[in-house]
Amino acid sequence: MVIAKDELLHIVNTLPDKIDVEEVFDKIMLSAKIEQALKESDQGLGEDWEDFKTAWLKDDQ
């Protein structure tokens, strides 16, 4: 998984002065996963939103 340097700097600059290291890693990983999902979505990969909702509601019953 790859994250842009500017996104990493943005994450670090918005953190409080003291923060648990695990929290930093969690925020970086979340951001990288979101970026990856957006790229996949732009490429037409992934599941159609309406199909997902239908399946989700069906599984919830």
Side-chain angles (χ1 to χ4, degrees), residues 1-26:
M1 207 170 296
V2 177
I3 187 170
K5 186 176 179 180
D6 62 334
E7 179 63 24
L8 183 58
L9 289 172
H10 172 73
I11 292 168
V12 171
N13 287 334
T14 58
L15 295 173
D17 290 337
K18 291 189 176 191
I19 188 167
D20 186 81
V21 173
E22 289 182 23
E23 249 185 277
V24 176
F25 288 132
D26 288 345

Side-chain angles (χ1 to χ4, degrees), residues 18-52:
K18 291 189 176 191
I19 188 167
D20 186 81
V21 173
E22 289 182 23
E23 249 185 277
V24 176
F25 288 132
D26 288 345
K27 290 182 182 294
I28 293 169
M29 288 300 297
L30 177 60
S31 180
K33 287 178 181 181
I34 290 170
E35 283 297 316
Q36 181 66 33
L38 290 172
K39 280 183 188 177
E40 289 175 7
S41 178
D42 287 345
Q43 295 171 355
L45 303 173
E47 191 171 352
D48 179 72
W49 176 244
E50 293 302 320
D51 293 342
F52 172 80

